[in-house]
Amino acid sequence: MKYNKEDREKYSDAIDRMQEGLDSMIDLYNEAEDDEELIEYEEEVIAAIKEAKETFGSDFIDQKINTIVKEVLSLMQGGQTPDKDK
């Protein structure tokens, strides 16, 4: 295949842009962190959350669940320990 000077420059520029894109993708991959599940919900709870989000909206339900979790954690920090026999 033969190229003139203009075609060669366009091809070279295209390769440079592709390399920059690849470098960006590699950087994103290297900076990515594993997603850590903090809570493993039971299937029944997942279904209830999905239904609530459809009814009331994701933002509203997220805010309510966060409020409940904060309250539970603050009670636990108040000196209560979990009952190991249950």
Side-chain angles (χ1 to χ4, degrees), residues 30-70:
N30 288 335
E31 293 171 5
E33 298 176 8
D34 289 337
D35 190 17
E36 178 183 347
E37 283 192 40
L38 298 176
I39 300 172
E40 290 192 33
Y41 293 105
E42 298 171 357
E43 289 299 319
E44 180 181 313
V45 174
I46 292 171
I49 291 172
K50 286 180 179 179
E51 184 177 333
K53 285 187 171 198
E54 287 177 10
T55 303
F56 300 105
S58 286
D59 291 340
F60 178 77
I61 296 303
D62 289 346
Q63 187 268 328
K64 292 297 183 183
I65 291 173
N66 276 294
T67 299
I68 292 167
V69 171
K70 287 178 199 175

